[in-house]
Amino acid sequence: MTRRKRRKKMLQKLILYISSPIITAFLIKTVPDAAEYLDKADSLMLVGKDKVAKQNIIAEPHRSMKYSEDFEDVFNENYAVSSGYGYAEEIEEKTPALYEIVSENPGAKPYPTEWTKGGAIMRTTYGKFTGNSFFKLSKAGQVNNKTAVGSATLSNESKKLPEFKIKFNSDEPQVLIYHTHTTESFEPFVRDYYDATFNYRTTDETKNIVMVGNAIENQLKDAGIAVIHDTTIHDYPSYNGSYDRSRETIKKVLEQYPSIKVLLDVHRDAISSNSIAYQPYVEIDGKEAAQIMIISGCDDGTMDMPDYMQNFRLASLFQQQIESDYKGLTRPILFDYRKYNQNMSTGALLFEIGSHGNTLEQVQYSGELVGKSIAKALLTIKE
């Protein structure tokens, strides 16, 4: 009889005694001793036949019940004694990924459910920019000055606060979030390629820029800032004339809520070249976030925007707060000859949250972070 068979036979005998609850309780407490006893008994039986075997047994390391190849670890908490009556396997609920969420109302242009392989996606992280057009803000972040306005002048303006004040915990809305390009959309998840048949636009609010606006809105409201989030589609079915249509939306909202001081036009960028879509991201607290950019327009004398420097002050306030809170999240403020309806308020800005190469998860996380920082920044101009 082999050693394994002998031990198996002895174990079977031992199990016969475990029919009494009292003995069972006793044996559970003394399992290590029982195992040791089996080893010693086994050794003595072998010695009677072969003295050389005794030396081998003594030299062999002690086996534990947990790791022995001869015993299942029935006392391990993960061991299933029974899969029948009284046994229920715990199933962990998994939160569906954003691309898996099925919208109740995807609109006229749904988000794709099947994908084809197109060009490459390049994951990248933008760091500090260098060049004559770039300068550093006093606390954090940079500005990309594409105008004839001197950077020294802009640097001085960036240190000034906006002239308006924000009411916290008020029923009167203080901020308007809207989307001139409401259907702008993103990649479903991290992958090496993009779908060339998808133009990154959808009327599904769970997959377009609206869900980023929702993330910003939630953080502002949690901080006690009353917000209007207008989700009117301005770029579908016709893209041309989007800014004219969003201007009409702004007018209506401001007429109804004249208390609004800040206008945030939330977009996504479209960074690409030579059949490559870029995915600018940064890791923050263990999660990937899409890098963001603020655009503050400058009047070249033809835009009817005389208070553009007020907007720049607010852009600088936001930029420095966001970059201080989440290093690497921002790209430099783009200060350029752009209008983007920023003559509608002295607190009007355009936010680019990621690019079309970024994923739904990345941009939603960025919206959350941006919302937290904006709320903190507005506290500095609290009424």
Side-chain angles (χ1 to χ4, degrees):
M1 182 181 295
T2 64
R3 180 182 176 186
R4 179 182 291 273
K5 289 181 178 179
R6 284 197 301 275
R7 296 188 68 175
K8 184 175 181 181
K9 188 173 182 180
M10 293 180 70
L11 180 61
Q12 289 172 344
K13 290 179 179 180
L14 183 62
I15 291 173
L16 292 176
Y17 290 102
I18 310 180
S19 58
S20 168
I22 297 175
I23 296 176
T24 301
F26 172 76
L27 286 175
I28 288 176
K29 294 181 180 179
T30 58
V31 165
D33 295 334
E36 185 176 355
Y37 171 78
L38 288 176
D39 276 343
K40 289 181 179 179
D42 205 7
S43 300
L44 291 173
M45 292 172 65
L46 286 171
V47 168
K49 293 183 178 181
D50 190 349
K51 292 183 179 180
V52 177
K54 181 178 180 180
Q55 296 177 353
N56 293 336
I57 293 295
I58 294 173
E60 188 177 347
H62 176 73
R63 303 182 188 87
S64 70
M65 288 290 289
K66 186 172 184 180
Y67 297 106
S68 171
E69 61 181 12
D70 297 325
F71 299 93
E72 280 194 277
D73 185 10
V74 296
F75 301 107
N76 187 301
E77 63 181 3
N78 295 320
Y79 181 79
V81 178
S82 169
S83 59
Y85 179 77
Y87 173 80
E89 182 180 359
E90 292 186 6
I91 301 176
E92 183 179 353
E93 293 187 7
K94 181 182 177 183
T95 302
L98 291 178
Y99 72 90
E100 296 174 319
I101 296 174
V102 178
S103 176
E104 295 181 358
N105 182 23
K109 185 173 170 42
Y111 192 74
T113 56
E114 297 181 358
W115 303 95
T116 59
K117 193 168 184 178
I121 292 178
M122 180 70 70
R123 285 164 55 83
T124 187
T125 298
Y126 294 113
K128 182 180 178 180
F129 285 77
T130 59
N132 295 331
S133 67
F134 297 94
F135 69 89
K136 182 180 178 180
L137 294 170
S138 59
K139 294 181 180 178
Q142 292 180 283
V143 176
N144 182 11
N145 179 15
K146 306 293 288 184
T147 74
V149 179
S151 292
T153 300
L154 289 178
S155 181
N156 289 333
E157 288 292 331
S158 70
K159 298 171 185 176
K160 300 176 183 178
L161 293 175
E163 295 180 358
F164 57 81
K165 298 293 182 181
I166 296 294
K167 289 183 179 180
F168 277 67
N169 301 313
S170 170
D171 293 334
E172 298 179 328
Q174 305 294 299
V175 177
L176 168 63
I177 299 172
Y178 68 102
H179 312 278
T180 295
H181 296 152
T182 321
T183 65
E184 289 179 328
S185 190
F186 307 89
E187 277 288 299
F189 42 77
V190 175
R191 56 184 178 175
D192 297 328
Y193 62 90
Y194 63 85
D195 187 340
T197 66
F198 179 43
N199 68 348
Y200 292 94
R201 296 188 182 279
T202 178
T203 51
D204 185 345
E205 290 186 358
T206 69
K207 307 292 189 303
N208 65 25
I209 197 67
V210 169
M211 63 101 170
V212 180
N214 289 336
I216 297 173
E217 175 191 10
N218 291 338
Q219 295 303 319
L220 295 181
K221 286 184 175 179
D222 286 347
I225 302 171
V227 181
I228 297 296
H229 182 193
D230 190 285
T231 60
T232 301
I233 295 176
H234 301 111
D235 61 337
Y236 186 86
S238 175
Y239 182 80
N240 293 335
S242 298
Y243 280 97
D244 292 334
R245 288 187 285 275
S246 66
R247 183 181 182 85
E248 292 305 311
T249 293
I250 295 169
K251 284 182 178 179
K252 291 178 182 178
V253 174
L254 291 181
E255 286 174 1
Q256 186 175 359
Y257 302 105
S259 57
I260 290 175
K261 316 282 196 318
V262 177
L263 309 180
L264 302 180
D265 191 1
V266 181
H267 293 244
R268 60 118 173 103
D269 211 341
I271 311 173
S272 62
S273 65
N274 301 322
S275 298
I276 295 175
Y278 290 89
Q279 186 180 109
Y281 78 100
V282 63
E283 187 172 302
I284 296 174
D285 295 334
K287 292 177 62 177
E288 291 185 359
Q291 290 183 295
I292 70 105
M293 180 175 69
I294 302 172
I295 298 180
S296 184
C298 178
D299 193 347
D300 61 0
T302 65
M303 300 180 185
D304 188 29
M305 194 165 59
D307 298 323
Y308 65 87
M309 203 63 85
Q310 293 285 334
N311 293 333
F312 178 72
R313 291 181 187 179
L314 183 63
S316 299
L317 177 64
F318 287 164
Q319 175 83 356
Q320 293 180 93
Q321 186 68 61
I322 297 169
E323 188 63 21
S324 295
D325 292 340
Y326 310 108
K327 184 176 176 57
L329 183 59
T330 68
R331 294 156 56 196
I333 294 172
L334 177 59
F335 185 74
D336 199 0
Y337 294 116
R338 315 279 180 104
K339 187 173 183 179
Y340 297 146
N341 289 330
Q342 292 184 11
N343 61 338
M344 301 289 288
S345 169
T346 56
L349 296 170
L350 188 150
F351 272 76
E352 301 273 22
I353 308 294
S355 184
H356 66 304
N358 284 104
T359 70
L360 296 166
E361 302 279 355
Q362 290 169 346
V363 297
Q364 186 185 60
Y365 185 41
S366 292
E368 176 187 329
L369 300 178
V370 166
K372 289 179 179 179
S373 287
I374 288 177
K376 289 172 67 174
L378 292 180
L379 269 172
T380 64
I381 52 174
K382 180 179 177 181
E383 186 174 282

